[in-house]
Amino acid sequence: MSKQNYKLEIVLSGQEIDQSINRISAKISEDYKNAKPILIGVLKGAFIFLADLSRSLDMPVEIDFIGASSYGDKAQSSGKPKVTKEIGINVSGQDVIVVEDIIDTGLTTSMIMRHIETLGPKSLKLCALIDKRERRQTDIKIDYAGNIIQEGFLVGYGLDFNEKYRNLPGIYKLEP
Ligand code: IMP
Ligand code: MG
């Protein structure tokens, strides 16, 4: 699929993303009083969200990343996600929050949640900036969600198409 000539239509401005992050971080700060959660960002798309979310949190946190196979150069999920980069710190007995850029089918995140569950965390929650509903295939609970978007292929603020557009400060829909 070629999306070279696609137009970018703004979906969330940098300012709107900031507002979502402030709302989420207030909730997390409230829920994890006296705790020191480990934030696990899902590579690569969550790197910018994790950077901004972690700086907006009013508490000590530890940070690591997990890698999962994803779309490659296709705009369709492969349906069989695998862990490609393991978490580097010990999460056993710890409070863990998985930080995702976007939940689409939910297959990648379900696999990641099941995987981290086997590592024996004290608690495990999910935070995602975008809850994209149209193609959901699993019943997945998002404990901290930024914005619901019904449909479309999104880029910017960490999200890519063919590794491009990750550095855009807002989130855009690729439109023909
Ligand atoms: P899922 O397994 O279908 O929920 O998709 C998981 C991953 O696919 C996300 O973490 C993203 O990295 C990627 N993805 C899903 N939807 C989009 C999109 O609209 N734009 C860019 N990447 C996406
Ligand atoms: Mg991702």
Side-chain angles (χ1 to χ4, degrees), residues 111-125:
M111 180 278 295
I112 287 170
M113 300 302 276
R114 280 197 306 274
H115 173 72
I116 298 178
E117 203 61 76
T118 68
L119 304 176
K122 180 171 154 207
S123 69
L124 180 59
K125 296 234 168 143

Side-chain angles (χ1 to χ4, degrees), residues 34-75:
N34 309 317
K36 195 183 69 176
I38 302 177
L39 307 179
I40 305 287
V42 182
L43 291 170
K44 295 183 235 180
F47 80 111
I48 294 181
F49 178 43
L50 179 59
D52 285 345
L53 177 67
S54 62
R55 285 178 295 179
S56 135
L57 285 170
D58 191 13
M59 63 194 339
V61 292
E62 292 181 22
I63 292 174
D64 204 351
F65 291 91
I66 189 168
S69 55
S70 180
Y71 288 17
D73 60 356
K74 301 189 289 291

Side-chain angles (χ1 to χ4, degrees), residues 42-43 45-46 100-102:
V42 182
L43 291 170
E100 262 283 23
D101 48 1
I102 185 166

Side-chain angles (χ1 to χ4, degrees), residues 70-71 100-102 104-108 132 152-154 159-160:
S70 180
Y71 288 17
E100 262 283 23
D101 48 1
I102 185 166
D104 183 18
T105 63
L107 295 171
T108 311
K132 192 169 81 173
F153 194 81
L154 308 178
L159 293 164
D160 74 306

